[in-house]
Every structure is written in structure tokens, then in C-alpha cells.
Amino acid sequence: MAIFKTLLVIVQVLSALGVIGLVLLQHGKGADVGAAFGSGASGSLFGASGSANFLSRTTAVLAGLFFACTLGLTLLGNYKPQASLGVMGAAQQSQSASASAAAASVPAGASSASAAPAVPK
């Protein structure tokens, strides 16, 4: 379970850094970091508006991955397994369960009659 938690934390941190980087690369209303890399050029790899669509879709996927990892870590953090009693604890539980079952199987009238023996006159 600890390995799975560690893996989720690593994926969460990487997706958070990816979202931060992609948000900074996207072309906004002013001149930002995205303009320095030529995000508005029509002769780019993705076309005139292809890079904006690619960056926004990738940002949405990474944000979804971030939220899924956060939800997974929350669920794993709230999970509390029952404490193990070991071999001897399991034996004690089975003995107490059989004793309570035996006490429940004795009829109520029979136990009171056997407790008070009959005295002849």
C-alpha cells in the first residue's frame, strides 16, 4: 500500500508541475511566455490554432490526472485496516464465540431447574 501511495504522490507532483508549465506556455491576452516560443505562428507544427488546442487539451488532461490522484490519496489516507490480533487472538476469539454459542443453546428453564436440586421430605 505504501508503494501505491508513493506512486500516486509522484504522479500528482509531476502532473501539477505539468499544469503549471502548460498554463505559462499558453497564449493569453498579452505578451506572455507562450508568445516567446512562437505560439501564434501559423507555420508551426500544429498550424495556426492547433497549438492552442493542443496545449489546452493537454492542460485539461493533466488537471484531471491531478484531481484523480488527489482523490485517490484522500481515499487511501482515510483507509484504516483492522488491527491484526495474530494467531493467539484468533484462537481466543473462536473460544469465546463457541462459549457464547453454548450458553445460548441451553434452554432458560433447564438452567434454573438444575441450579436448585429437589429436596425429599
Side-chain angles (χ1 to χ4, degrees):
M1 210 46 125
I3 295 172
F4 189 61
K5 275 178 125 172
T6 305
L7 181 67
L8 276 177
V9 168
I10 290 171
V11 170
Q12 185 181 28
V13 168
L14 290 177
S15 64
L17 292 174
V19 167
I20 291 169
L22 287 174
V23 166
L24 289 175
L25 282 176
Q26 290 181 14
H27 184 65
K29 293 182 180 178
D32 53 359
V33 180
F37 291 107
S39 65
S42 62
S44 67
L45 177 65
F46 300 109
S49 64
S51 65
N53 289 337
F54 175 74
L55 289 176
S56 62
R57 286 181 184 165
T58 308
T59 304
V61 168
L62 286 178
L65 184 65
F66 176 80
F67 287 127
C69 288
T70 302
L71 182 64
L73 285 170
T74 303
L75 292 175
L76 286 177
N78 289 334
Y79 176 72
K80 305 236 185 310
Q82 292 182 348
S84 174
L85 297 176
V87 177
M88 296 303 290
Q92 288 173 356
Q93 282 183 343
S94 66
Q95 288 175 355
S96 65
S98 64
S100 65
S105 65
V106 174
S111 65
S112 64
S114 63
V119 179
K121 291 189 176 188

